[in-house]
Amino acid sequence: MVNSLPPPPQPLPDRLVGESWQFVALPAQDIWPYFGDRPMRYQSMPERLSPLQLGLAADLPIPGVVIYGGRQCRQIGQWLAEQQPTSLLYIAEDPQQSGGLVLHTQTGDRWVMVTFKDGEMATAAGVFSQRQQKAKGLHFLWLQPDNSGVTTTGIWLLQKS
């Protein structure tokens, strides 16, 4: 009998781990204006994933994850662009205490982006997941060199299927 289960997600290579990350949310009406006019090296915002196209309320919070890449920012951006991310999913190990985020790509590969053992982070991850459901799976991955808000390296609009 052939095992039809997909292989487990692979850990992210150390050279692609950013300095830090956090969960965020933006109102649906702000996604296109906020990211559409920003100069950035990497951008994947398919029109079919526009909150307007999906019929989402203007004030609905769209969940996202920001990666602060630091010196590796450009390398992380290049790798993400090559991988063509499709979704970022929260996998709860213990919903009150620990879990991780798994990146799914167009090629079917899965990558463990982060893991955590922290009650506060697990709660935030649960909110991220709930917001994904309310937003018809819509979410984003945002890459910045730091948290100054001055520079954005990349944005990927994603949808959980």
Side-chain angles (χ1 to χ4, degrees):
M1 180 178 254
V2 176
N3 185 357
S4 63
L5 293 175
Q10 298 301 304
L12 213 56
D14 287 342
R15 64 183 171 80
L16 299 173
V17 175
E19 292 180 355
S20 63
W21 64 279
Q22 72 180 50
F23 291 107
V24 295
L26 289 172
Q29 67 190 4
D30 293 347
I31 297 284
W32 238 256
Y34 190 78
F35 293 114
D37 293 339
R38 285 184 155 214
M40 63 188 88
R41 183 174 291 276
Y42 308 102
Q43 185 177 51
S44 177
M45 294 178 59
E47 188 65 33
R48 66 179 174 76
L49 295 182
S50 159
L52 182 63
Q53 291 279 343
L54 294 173
L56 301 177
D59 62 346
L60 184 71
I62 306 301
V65 171
V66 179
I67 298 171
Y68 301 109
R71 292 179 188 239
Q72 290 95 324
C73 205
R74 189 170 181 176
Q75 195 171 14
I76 295 167
Q78 179 64 42
W79 181 83
L80 284 167
E82 291 169 2
Q83 295 301 309
Q84 300 178 359
T86 57
S87 63
L88 190 58
L89 305 177
Y90 165 52
I91 307 297
E93 193 174 299
D94 172 350
Q96 304 302 315
Q97 219 30 45
S98 62
L101 295 175
V102 175
L103 180 75
H104 291 242
T105 68
Q106 202 135 39
T107 61
D109 292 331
R110 297 178 304 147
W111 298 91
V112 177
M113 295 292 288
V114 296
T115 59
F116 49 86
K117 290 185 187 279
D118 176 278
E120 193 174 309
M121 196 60 71
T123 299
V127 170
F128 170 82
S129 189
Q130 290 168 359
R131 286 179 171 164
Q132 260 185 340
Q133 289 176 333
K134 290 178 183 175
K136 298 182 180 179
L138 185 65
H139 57 291
F140 59 91
L141 182 57
W142 184 3
L143 179 61
Q144 293 182 271
D146 55 43
N147 65 359
S148 68
V150 174
T151 305
T152 291
T153 302
I155 183 73
W156 290 266
L157 213 55
L158 311 170
Q159 189 173 31
K160 179 181 174 183
S161 50

